[in-house]
Amino acid sequence: MPNISESVTPGQRLGYVADYQQGPGTYERDGLLYASVVGQRYIDRAENDQLPIMRVTREKEQSAVPEVGSAITGKVIRVAPHQAAIAIMVVGDMPCKEDFMGVVRTQDVRATEKDKVKIYNSFRPGDIIKAEVISLGDARSYFLSTAKNELGVIYATSVAGATMIPISWQEMQCPKTKSIELRKCAKPN
């Protein structure tokens, strides 16, 4: 049964190894126990005349934070002539608890013929895209790239409201109206 709860930060001294067993969220150095994570310190009573167990647990799970090189899934919020604004929803396989913004600039849409890229022919507001973080960008947003084949639009709806089907790397078709719209499509896995 746990008792003695106290908030601790990484590197904070918790006690002596001679008095406690090392538990999760702690590490031992030079005969002392230290916290390795931010959280609550607990001391669990041990059975069979063993030392009590010192552990530190996080009260809430950490949110995913985009890093350079990480794959993200996001929603296109705005499209401007030279960039598309993206709301980052998932980093890797972890959903984001906070709101992160990113931009895909015209030069980062595809690897070849960068000068011929038109953002409106690559993304539309409401599209769900896979992208890669290429830079931390400015104070407002991360810089994203869809220049690899497996990156680009993974979900889009047509003007008629139907889920579109990719028919090439730069076209999607509406199954209802059979109209074709331009997008930078992600290569299916």
Side-chain angles (χ1 to χ4, degrees):
M1 187 166 120
N3 63 2
I4 309 175
S5 174
E6 167 188 6
S7 295
V8 295
T9 57
Q12 186 172 337
R13 189 181 301 169
L14 303 175
Y16 293 95
V17 174
D19 299 332
Y20 302 101
Q21 291 183 55
Q22 180 182 343
T26 65
Y27 66 93
E28 182 265 330
R29 184 177 203 163
D30 299 327
L32 293 167
L33 283 177
Y34 295 90
S36 63
V37 296
V38 174
Q40 296 291 317
R41 177 183 81 159
Y42 295 100
I43 299 170
D44 298 327
R45 298 179 202 271
E47 299 93 34
N48 304 336
D49 295 330
Q50 292 182 345
L51 295 173
I53 300 167
M54 176 87 66
R55 64 183 170 91
V56 177
T57 57
R58 295 179 181 167
E59 291 304 306
K60 66 175 198 174
E61 281 299 309
Q62 294 291 88
S63 175
V65 177
E67 296 175 348
V68 174
S70 60
I72 66 101
T73 304
K75 184 176 185 177
V76 178
I77 303 296
R78 271 184 317 281
V79 176
H82 299 290
Q83 66 184 24
I86 313 296
I88 299 173
M89 301 182 303
V90 178
V91 177
D93 295 328
M94 287 186 61
C96 295
K97 291 182 174 64
E98 289 97 31
D99 295 333
F100 295 107
M101 292 300 294
V103 292
V104 179
R105 303 170 297 179
T106 51
Q107 65 263 33
D108 300 323
V109 171
R110 61 181 189 221
T112 59
E113 298 179 331
K114 294 179 181 189
D115 55 330
K116 296 181 181 178
V117 172
K118 289 187 173 38
I119 288 287
Y120 194 72
N121 291 340
S122 302
F123 310 110
R124 303 274 170 91
D127 289 357
I128 305 296
I129 69 163
K130 276 183 111 60
E132 180 180 15
V133 179
I134 56 170
S135 168
L136 299 180
D138 56 19
R140 290 182 303 268
S141 55
Y142 293 87
F143 288 148
L144 307 173
S145 171
T146 57
K148 295 179 182 171
N149 289 342
E150 65 272 10
L151 304 175
V153 177
I154 57 173
Y155 175 83
T157 53
S158 66
V159 177
T163 301
M164 298 182 67
I165 300 166
I167 55 174
S168 75
W169 69 272
Q170 61 182 359
E171 293 177 328
M172 293 185 109
Q173 185 174 29
C174 173
K176 281 186 181 175
T177 63
K178 304 296 183 212
S179 65
I180 293 175
E181 294 182 20
L182 296 174
R183 297 286 201 286
K184 196 292 185 185
C185 300
K187 182 179 177 181
N189 292 341

